[in-house]
Amino acid sequence: MHDSHDAPHGFWTRYVFSQDHKVIAIQYTVTALAVGLVGLVLSNLMRLQLGFPGHFDFIDANRYYQSLTQHGMIMVVYLLTAILLGGFGNYLIPLMIGARDMVFPFLNMLSYWVYLVAVLVLLASFVVPGGPTGAGWTLYPPQSILPGTPGADWGIILMLVSLLIFIVAATMGGLNYVTTVLQARAEGMTLFRLPLTVWGIFMATILALFAFPALFVSGVMLLFDKVLGTSFFMPAIVSMGQPLAYEGGSPLLFQHLFWFFGHPEVYIVALPAFGIVSDLISTHARKNIFGYRMMVWAIVAIGVLSVVVWAHHMFVSGMNPAFGFFFAVTTLIIAVPTAIKVYNWLLTLWRGDIHLTVPMLFALGFISMFAIGGLTGLFLGNVSVDIPLSDTYFVVAHFHMVMGVAPILVIFGGIYHWFPKVSGRMMNDTLGRWHFWLTFVGAYAIFFPMHYLGFLGMPRRYYAYENYAFIPESAHTLNAFITVAALVVAAAQLLFLFNLAWSARRGRLASANPWGATTLEWQTPDTPPGHGNWGAQVPVVHRWAYEFSPPGQARDFVPQNAPPDAPVE
Amino acid sequence: MAIAIVLIVIVIAALAFHALSPWWLTPLASNWGLIDDTLTVTLLITGAVFVAVNLFIAVAVIRYRHRHGRRAAYEPENRKLEHGLTWLTAVGIVAMLAPGLVVYAELISPPKDALVVEVVGQQWQWAYRFPGEDGRLGTSAMRFVGADNPLGLNPADPAGRDDALAVGPELHLPLGRPVRVLLRSKDVLHNFFVPPIRTRMDMVPGMVTEFWFTPTRAGRFDILCAELCGVGHYNMRGVMVVEPQADFERWLAGLPRFAAARQVAATPPGGDLAARGRGIAQARGCFGCHSVDGAASVGPGWRGLFGHEVELADGSRLKADAAYIAESIRAPAAKLVKGYPPIMPPYALDDGEVAAIAAYIASLDGAADGTR
Amino acid sequence: MDALSPSAGGHGQQHPIGVYLKVWGLLFVLSTLSYLVDYFHVGGVLRWALIVAFMLAKAGLIVAVFMHMRWERRALLVAVLLPPLCLLVLAGLMWAEAEHTRQTRNVYFVAESGAAGHGAADKADGAAR
Amino acid sequence: MEASIDLARPARPATARVAVWLLLGVVFVLFVLCLLAYAMRMRLGDWRALPLPWQLNVSTAMLILSSASLQWASVAARRGGRCARGALFAAFVFAAAFLAAQAWAWQALVAQGRLASANPSNGFFFLLTGLHALHVLGGIVALLLAGRRGERLGLCALYWHGLLAVWLLLYATMAWLTPAIVDFICGVA
Ligand code: HEA
Ligand code: HEA
Ligand code: CUA
Ligand SMILES: [Cu+2]
């Protein structure tokens, strides 16, 4: 909205209130990782209680449920959504499509600061009387706004307000990303030459724009119910022996609205990861991505279908039972485009020239994690199999494999991959490998056994499992094992943090294109790219993003902007 | 290279874990073997894909890892292959989905002759209701809930007068007879979950949900609440006792009927004060957090409280007299008991009610009455 | 050079069969959806609105893909047209859901106390069923 | 894109138009979702139609006038005409009058004791009008920032027309939608 947008000079305009998409991306990433760290600590608090019940008396039932809720919400919304769209999206979209910046830089900056406010409001809920809400990240009413749930007064209000603010931020960012992709592509950059990273983020952003309003509506209505005493979601209730003044509302309405947002949300975090991992695999296997068009259509199909599967989270919610058929069918249909993506990643590896760099390790780890997590999704999508498994640790295992770990691995892989471009330095390889192995193997150790606790019937969201006859002693031992693994994995993240901090100052200097990648962001005149990204001339694109190892070329890659008549020597 | 080995090890470890793990579905206790079969079909298909995907990565890494002079093939797409894989996946999906849907169709159509039982949830306890001789359950509404009518039955509905009420954790069911379970909640979402019977459903305030099954094995089974319902969620326990028809009928016959129970509970104040206190505590949901057998649950147990010393969170001690109990009820946050969170909501009870509860708590001492 | 072809190499104009398959799959889904309109006994204006919408979507897909309309437009079309369509699905389902909830209330609950608001608790005519 | 780094160029008008259309799409989805919830909630038995305060007619007229003035202002500004300033001013005044009339309607309802909690239809009234008023308020801020350049006013006008359409939809729903109509549409007898 500003008229002039010259290269800024002062410290404040350059590093704090910057309108440069690269700076904003870093701000988003750092903030998201910082709250992510809070989420990680909370998960370990939960694990301590679950693995060694009663040994840590500062984790009482209240704190447990508060940790659970904040852990889930932070990870899904404030970490993953923010880092993938606000961080990776912001950094990569303009660079990858050959633009000088987002089309609305000021809006972009605003988006970050509003996001920061959302984070601060969220964190503020930790210090208000009663603490943060402990209603579970799904915030189901009536429970979320009634006594008997921790944080039912201040906590829930701040939670909802923070979400509403977050949605405003996400919408500002989203409008920007979509418009930028549509309007600011460099000459020759057709939609079907976009790198899959951009496709993934683009589709995820469209989904976000149309799914977040559902959360907004349910959030505002829930606030009304809490603060003004309306009965949108609240039927007549006797709470703790007290009859309340509510009447006639339907808790199921909230669940429908929530999941109408919630399911697309899980793909909002999955699609960018799909895109990024495609680029990592192709680049580090030195081979073009297999079936590019199929990959694009799969992204579009997943995006579209993901809006009509939401009630698979509600198979045992008491909704109209006839819906089960519809949603089971649509849910399993989604597996087909997803499967196509997995096949194409695998086939990209085949007959490749696989460099087992750190980003590639994370990408391979992602495929393995995502496959198992997606496959367990098929149990849950198949109505009748979901019924015994719903709300057990099987579900917890499913979504951690597919969402908790898989996209996180991609984020790590992406950071190792793009760090040289962002900072001009390489990250330390040895530390990176240790980080990968501990995280990957550790995550298997944490979440694979959880499936079996789920088969056994152990319900999720339980503070303690004492004196249940059907739970054998061995299950408690297993829980202790899982806790130890979780602590180790959490500690391993310190390697990553150290590596980040150390490499940013001391890392080996990177060349402009250390991985030999084809996409535009590696072809900038400066590393890190300067203000305006491209120096005097924006690039002109001549080919798709995956021209690796073409026959008859000396080098094993051709950048997208290399002129066709002058092959790179 | 290491990644290939690790992936192979993971596959082997996963298969070994599956084969050797002592953790698996609880032994089936209902007619829903079909669900287990569908699960097995799904497990076989997905298991095969899991193994295939990981081994494929391993093989690809071993065969095509970078070596000096290697160059990748250039292969943008291969229609036949993509075509074939898509179909293969579709076949796999149909193989899982088809049986699943067939089973589901059965799951949602209860047999006509099923025994009807209503389960009522409230934070954090269970109650049950069986139809009386007329075979019909009476209607209900939350506005009828009171000390003498904990389930909120409609006093004017003749169908409800003979309904048998079981307020408390225990539910008995006859062996081998289909049961249609109607679910209702007084406050928040709950979920009636007995792992060995496989099927279950949420309990939603403001509506009635249902599911059905036939118990096929006698015994005592844990009833769990599997929908987050507040701090006491993990402690919302019940017991389902499956027994031969005759035993069940004996148990059922011993249950109070709605109309009669109302008469008894409506003893006017000035009758047995402690009994009135118990009724109030029941209706107000105190037992969700306070046990009366001395065990600690969400809140401190009530047995052995009255007249004894209580240690407060700030380290001070005091003697629990009627005034303390009154304060604990009306302003629970004023004096916190050590080791408990400040979660108890304040209750605006009148003096008579508070006195009744105090009398009831006092009566718990010394096991004089043997409540519960 | 053909701007639509992803690679610089001489792949010409052919669209990979995969796209056709994909679209074929979508068409199949749309047909299923129209079928479901009947299955859920959606009726009245909504029924025809939905059926026509699905029909149009199918026709659009066929024109766009099998008749080689420009690829880029199509991608956008899909992205822009489908959300409203999904909202329609949501609308239909929500209505069915409200109906379901209301049914259970009518069968098992005493009618709400009506216009008088709460408090007037004793308008309990069991005849509500 | 020649020699100088042309970052100074503001987003092209076409680009900004795409963004405004997208924004309107999001706003539309938001309100349609509200109306879906409205229709579903209406079904649940305890619904009593809220007699809409007559002030809404005033506010509707104001919004229409505001929208028209803004359109006029944008066209005039693009042509370089002089009446742009007056029309712009009128648009502001009418928009403010719209908000005032909405507030008046609220006040009238509150005075009658028809609070949000009295019935879900009241709750929805406050929810829908409130959310819509927030959007108008946002528009006013944008208009303040837009200055008097033609293409920017054009964007604001587009947004205004969108909000007007949304308002008419909301008003029509609140005034005329009954369970019977939805039943008819959905064919449930
Ligand atoms: C990134 C996030 C993400 C992703 C991608 C998915 C993907 C899928 N999810 Fe998951 N899911 C969550 C995040 C995610 N989910 C979360 C957070 C929850 C819990 C929320 C809560 O309650 O707190 C959840 C819960 C959840 C439920 C509800 C369970 C319950 O509460 O009872 C269901 C039920 O249908 C489900 C299904 C699926 C399915 C079918 C997929 C599919 O898209 C998966 C498709 C992938 C594959 C199938 C694997 C790859 C394919 C192959 C290797 C090809 C071979 C395959 C065959 C031959 C079949 N998920
Ligand atoms: C992205 C999402 C995400 C992630 C990463 C995690 C990570 C972890 N989660 Fe989380 N979890 C959820 C999303 C996630 N979770 C959700 C949505 C719920 C449901 C909440 C609810 O029911 O309401 C849940 C619930 C949940 C439970 C269920 C509790 C219950 O039902 O009672 C448990 C129990 O063990 C658990 C454990 C863990 C552990 C041990 C980790 C980790 O420790 C795993 C190992 C660690 C990593 C793989 C690295 C992660 C890295 C980061 C987070 C980046 C941090 C930043 C830097 C390093 C700078 N989680
Ligand atoms: Cu009741 Cu959980
Ligand atoms: Cu889902």
Side-chain angles (χ1 to χ4, degrees):
Chain A
M1 307 241 163
H2 275 226
D3 281 342
S4 70
H5 187 47
D6 298 322
H9 299 295
F11 169 83
W12 288 97
T13 41
R14 201 152 172 187
Y15 298 111
V16 183
F17 296 105
S18 168
Q19 300 185 20
D20 184 333
H21 71 102
K22 299 183 288 298
V23 178
I24 297 172
I26 294 170
Q27 291 172 326
Y28 253 116
T29 307
V30 170
T31 313
L33 284 179
V35 267
L37 221 50
V38 176
L40 191 58
V41 170
L42 291 174
S43 79
N44 280 334
L45 288 184
M46 285 192 295
R47 280 315 322 176
L48 283 179
Q49 162 61 24
L50 291 174
F52 308 98
H55 283 262
F56 302 92
D57 45 349
F58 56 94
I59 315 171
D60 55 37
N62 273 296
R63 292 242 173 83
Y64 182 85
Y65 287 115
Q66 292 170 326
S67 307
L68 169 73
T69 307
Q70 303 304 317
H71 164 73
M73 196 65 96
I74 287 181
M75 291 296 197
V76 178
V77 176
Y78 298 86
L79 168 66
L80 279 188
T81 310
I83 204 174
L84 285 168
L85 300 185
F88 283 81
N90 243 320
Y91 198 86
L92 294 175
I93 288 175
L95 280 167
M96 282 189 152
I97 66 174
R100 293 204 178 276
D101 204 320
M102 288 288 176
V103 288
F104 307 113
F106 180 76
L107 198 62
N108 206 15
M109 177 185 83
L110 213 57
S111 159
Y112 169 72
W113 289 102
V114 176
Y115 162 66
L116 189 65
V117 172
V119 169
L120 292 178
V121 173
L122 176 82
L123 294 180
S125 77
F126 281 82
V127 296
V128 294
T133 175
W137 85 283
T138 46
L139 303 180
Y140 283 175
Q143 180 250 125
S144 57
I145 61 174
L146 292 185
T149 300
D153 288 319
W154 285 100
I156 183 73
I157 293 178
L158 286 184
M159 181 79 252
L160 291 171
V161 169
S162 170
L163 282 174
L164 298 184
I165 299 175
F166 181 89
I167 294 168
V168 173
T171 307
M172 289 199 264
L175 288 174
N176 219 339
Y177 311 155
V178 172
T179 316
T180 304
V181 172
L182 290 179
Q183 295 286 318
R185 277 166 291 142
E187 195 187 333
M189 180 63 93
T190 61
L191 284 183
F192 275 77
R193 283 176 174 176
L194 287 176
L196 287 171
T197 300
V198 178
W199 262 111
I201 295 174
F202 177 61
M203 195 65 212
T205 311
I206 293 182
L207 269 185
L209 285 179
F210 290 103
F212 273 122
L215 181 63
F216 195 91
V217 171
S218 50
V220 174
M221 286 166 71
L222 192 53
L223 262 184
F224 266 54
D225 278 3
K226 171 76 201 167
V227 179
L228 300 180
T230 52
S231 305
F232 295 131
F233 305 129
M234 304 291 281
I237 276 174
V238 177
S239 166
M240 304 272 163
Q242 244 84 334
L244 304 183
Y246 297 112
E247 188 173 325
S250 165
L252 286 183
L253 173 58
F254 178 89
Q255 298 186 21
H256 280 294
L257 285 172
F258 182 88
W259 289 116
F260 191 71
F261 146 78
H263 187 82
E265 165 66 19
V266 308
Y267 284 97
I268 291 169
V269 306
L271 288 177
F274 289 174
I276 293 171
V277 85
S278 308
D279 285 359
L280 295 188
I281 289 175
S282 178
T283 305
H284 295 272
R286 313 309 299 154
K287 184 156 170 281
N288 59 64
I289 196 79
F290 183 86
Y292 172 81
R293 283 179 200 270
M294 273 289 237
M295 292 294 255
V296 172
W297 285 114
I299 286 182
V300 175
I302 292 172
V304 170
L305 284 171
S306 71
V307 198
V308 285
V309 300
W310 75 90
H312 67 210
H313 295 273
M314 297 171 61
F315 286 146
V316 295
S317 69
M319 67 175 177
N320 188 339
F323 289 4
F325 295 106
F326 177 82
F327 286 101
V329 173
T330 52
T331 301
L332 288 217
I333 289 179
I334 275 215
V336 177
T338 318
I340 291 175
K341 299 202 70 80
V342 174
Y343 300 144
N344 286 3
W345 292 323
L346 295 178
L347 292 170
T348 303
L349 293 174
W350 200 249
R351 302 212 285 146
D353 171 22
I354 302 172
H355 292 246
L356 289 173
T357 55
V358 174
M360 187 61 161
L361 287 178
F362 277 101
L364 296 176
F366 164 84
I367 305 181
S368 177
M369 278 291 166
F370 180 77
I372 181 170
L375 292 168
T376 53
L378 299 178
F379 287 72
L380 302 173
N382 200 350
V383 228
S384 35
V385 187
D386 176 66
I387 289 174
L389 296 180
S390 179
D391 270 311
T392 66
Y393 264 80
F394 190 88
V395 178
V396 176
H398 157 68
F399 68 72
H400 278 93
M401 285 276 185
V402 78
M403 173 177 81
V405 185
I408 293 267
L409 290 181
V410 172
I411 288 171
F412 287 141
I415 292 179
Y416 284 100
H417 182 77
W418 278 291
F419 189 83
K421 181 52 66 179
V422 176
S423 69
R425 292 172 185 275
M426 305 296 287
M427 283 183 79
N428 181 294
D429 200 60
T430 315
L431 281 177
R433 278 169 204 277
W434 274 99
H435 178 214
F436 169 73
W437 287 115
L438 286 171
T439 308
F440 177 66
V441 177
Y444 255 107
I446 299 172
F447 296 117
F448 187 83
M450 278 190 192
H451 293 102
Y452 288 81
L453 296 179
F455 283 132
L456 181 63
M458 278 175 71
R460 64 191 277 206
R461 295 170 164 180
Y462 261 36
Y463 166 66
Y465 296 86
E466 284 141 7
N467 308 323
Y468 284 106
F470 75 101
I471 300 178
E473 191 50 40
S474 60
H476 298 292
T477 318
L478 183 59
N479 254 333
F481 166 78
I482 293 176
T483 298
V484 173
L487 293 173
V488 172
V489 175
Q493 306 313 313
L494 296 179
L495 293 179
F496 172 70
L497 283 182
F498 173 75
N499 197 350
L500 266 186
W502 186 83
S503 305
R505 292 150 158 267
R506 299 279 166 80
R508 192 157 51 81
L509 282 179
S511 63
N513 188 358
W515 313 116
T518 57
T519 39
L520 293 181
E521 82 275 20
W522 298 102
Q523 325 302 337
T524 54
D526 307 312
T527 299
H531 187 72
N533 294 346
W534 305 108
Q537 207 125 37
V538 290
V540 176
V541 172
H542 296 282
R543 61 182 62 71
W544 71 331
Y546 299 98
E547 197 72 348
F548 285 106
S549 310
Q553 293 274 347
R555 295 236 324 249
D556 66 353
F557 71 103
V558 186
Q560 282 192 277
N561 62 341
D565 40 348
V568 184
E569 287 312 313
Chain B
M1 204 47 191
I3 182 90
I5 296 166
V6 168
L7 285 175
I8 294 171
V9 170
I10 283 179
V11 167
I12 295 172
L15 293 177
F17 188 94
H18 180 79
L20 304 177
S21 110
W23 309 290
W24 188 240
L25 297 173
T26 46
L28 183 69
S30 79
N31 57 325
W32 290 117
L34 281 175
I35 292 187
D36 288 5
D37 297 343
T38 323
L39 195 148
T40 310
V41 171
T42 314
L43 184 73
L44 286 176
I45 297 179
T46 56
V49 175
F50 167 71
V51 172
V53 167
N54 281 299
L55 291 186
F56 188 99
I57 304 177
V59 172
V61 167
I62 292 173
R63 282 187 62 177
Y64 301 110
R65 69 182 184 282
H66 176 67
R67 267 172 258 146
H68 190 70
R70 172 188 293 289
R71 205 178 156 99
Y74 187 77
E75 187 191 24
E77 46 207 9
N78 177 338
R79 296 171 210 161
K80 240 173 96 184
L81 188 58
E82 294 182 59
H83 191 141
L85 285 172
T86 308
W87 277 108
L88 199 70
T89 312
V91 170
I93 298 281
V94 171
M96 286 183 276
L97 190 54
L101 292 185
V102 171
V103 178
Y104 186 66
E106 229 170 291
L107 268 167
I108 61 174
S109 26
K112 289 260 162 346
D113 61 339
L115 169 71
V116 175
V117 53
E118 182 189 60
V119 179
V120 183
Q122 102 182 38
Q123 276 170 329
W124 295 289
Q125 49 198 319
W126 304 93
Y128 313 94
R129 173 160 69 118
F130 290 85
E133 284 67 34
D134 61 357
R136 293 200 307 150
L137 288 171
T139 51
S140 66
M142 278 306 114
R143 63 176 182 274
F144 299 127
V145 170
D148 57 344
N149 188 357
L151 300 191
L153 302 194
N154 177 3
D157 186 350
R161 283 166 195 270
D162 59 351
D163 288 358
L165 311 181
V167 179
E170 222 169 271
L171 167 68
H172 288 234
L173 290 177
L175 188 64
R177 171 139 179 235
V179 189
R180 183 165 160 229
V181 186
L182 300 180
L183 302 154
R184 186 154 70 83
S185 165
K186 284 163 71 176
D187 40 32
V188 303
L189 302 169
H190 303 278
N191 181 305
F192 183 90
F193 182 32
V194 180
I197 64 173
R198 303 298 187 256
T199 179
R200 41 95 164 260
M201 192 53 72
D202 271 7
M203 322 172 65
V204 185
M207 66 187 288
V208 172
T209 57
E210 61 173 284
F211 69 93
W212 78 277
F213 70 103
T214 309
T216 55
R217 198 150 57 77
R220 291 172 70 85
F221 303 93
D222 287 319
I223 301 174
L224 315 175
C225 175
E227 186 67 72
L228 181 52
C229 52
V231 270
H233 167 57
Y234 68 100
N235 223 359
M236 180 163 166
R237 298 156 188 268
V239 193
M240 185 177 90
V241 180
V242 175
E243 59 197 6
Q245 178 82 24
D247 294 346
F248 166 71
E249 265 158 23
R250 207 168 313 122
W251 176 78
L252 187 63
L255 293 180
R257 301 307 172 101
F258 173 54
R262 226 162 106 86
Q263 302 272 304
V264 176
T267 351
D272 182 0
L273 196 60
R276 178 160 176 258
R278 183 180 190 288
I280 296 168
Q282 171 70 48
R284 295 290 183 161
C286 312
F287 297 140
C289 300
H290 296 284
S291 78
V292 288
D293 58 5
S297 61
V298 180
W302 280 352
R303 163 152 309 181
L305 166 65
F306 199 88
H308 293 79
E309 270 216 336
V310 177
E311 190 179 351
L312 299 182
D314 59 12
S316 63
R317 299 176 153 273
L318 57 71
K319 196 158 155 227
D321 52 13
Y324 167 72
I325 290 187
E327 187 185 14
S328 292
I329 296 172
R330 290 180 176 146
K335 296 202 179 77
L336 286 184
V337 183
K338 188 178 165 76
Y340 291 92
I343 51 166
M344 176 171 156
Y347 288 85
L349 303 185
D350 64 33
D351 289 342
E353 289 170 314
V354 169
I357 290 179
Y360 171 61
I361 293 179
S363 77
L364 288 170
D365 252 4
D369 61 336
T371 330
R372 293 216 169 179
Chain C
M1 212 197 55
D2 173 19
L4 297 178
S5 161
S7 59
H11 287 271
Q13 251 289 26
Q14 297 147 336
H15 304 302
I17 190 96
V19 179
Y20 290 113
L21 266 183
K22 193 77 257 133
V23 171
W24 181 83
L26 259 172
L27 288 175
F28 178 75
V29 173
L30 283 170
S31 307
T32 315
L33 287 176
S34 339
Y35 167 73
L36 280 169
V37 169
D38 281 338
Y39 181 85
F40 283 111
H41 303 293
V42 182
V45 182
L46 183 65
R47 171 201 174 84
W48 293 110
L50 280 176
I51 287 182
V52 170
F54 289 136
M55 224 168 64
L56 285 179
K58 276 196 278 189
L61 276 178
I62 291 171
V63 169
V65 180
F66 294 105
M67 299 188 171
H68 291 215
M69 215 176 84
R70 276 195 44 203
W71 291 102
E72 301 212 347
R73 287 271 171 78
R74 243 206 83 218
L76 287 181
L77 228 70
V78 172
V80 171
L81 277 187
L82 275 153
L85 211 71
C86 296
L87 283 178
L88 269 183
V89 177
L90 179 67
L93 291 172
M94 281 309 85
W95 194 252
E97 182 75 325
E99 190 61 30
H100 173 69
T101 307
R102 204 173 58 108
Q103 299 272 330
T104 78
R105 287 186 182 175
N106 282 350
V107 175
Y108 299 108
F109 290 158
V110 188
E112 296 287 1
S113 39
H118 10 270
D122 287 314
K123 217 182 110 225
D125 42 338
R129 286 171 301 132
Chain D
M1 312 254 158
E2 248 90 90
S4 81
I5 300 183
D6 55 351
L7 270 179
R9 125 195 102 97
R12 275 176 290 151
T15 301
R17 257 195 131 64
V18 170
V20 174
W21 274 109
L22 263 174
L23 175 63
L24 283 179
V26 174
V27 171
F28 185 73
V29 170
L30 178 78
F31 282 100
V32 167
L33 283 168
C34 286
L35 292 183
L36 279 176
Y38 182 93
M40 183 185 177
R41 185 66 184 79
M42 184 165 65
R43 197 68 233 256
L44 291 180
D46 60 335
W47 184 275
R48 272 168 292 128
L50 173 74
L52 291 182
W54 60 268
Q55 286 88 343
L56 291 193
N57 296 320
V58 179
S59 64
T60 308
M62 289 304 126
L63 197 57
I64 294 176
L65 286 174
S66 180
S67 204
S69 320
L70 196 53
Q71 181 67 27
W72 188 12
S74 94
V75 172
R78 221 169 305 151
R79 297 221 188 97
R82 282 233 229 92
C83 34
R85 178 178 288 202
L88 186 54
F89 183 68
F92 267 120
V93 172
F94 286 131
F98 168 77
L99 289 181
Q102 297 291 73
W104 188 9
W106 279 28
Q107 188 269 330
L109 283 182
V110 172
Q112 293 167 27
R114 296 180 192 276
L115 300 177
S117 56
N119 190 269
S121 61
N122 302 34
F124 271 110
F125 177 84
F126 286 103
L127 176 73
L128 296 173
T129 51
L131 274 182
H132 182 264
L134 278 180
H135 282 81
V136 173
L137 213 60
I140 292 182
V141 173
L143 194 57
L144 281 174
L145 294 175
R148 250 183 312 132
R149 252 144 325 161
E151 74 269 14
R152 294 216 173 163
L153 288 184
L155 294 177
C156 288
L158 177 58
Y159 180 72
W160 241 246
H161 304 332
L163 285 192
L164 175 61
V166 167
W167 171 246
L168 293 177
L169 180 68
L170 296 183
Y171 193 4
T173 307
M174 289 191 292
W176 295 313
L177 191 72
T178 62
I181 293 178
V182 190
D183 276 349
F184 172 73
I185 296 176
C186 293
V188 186

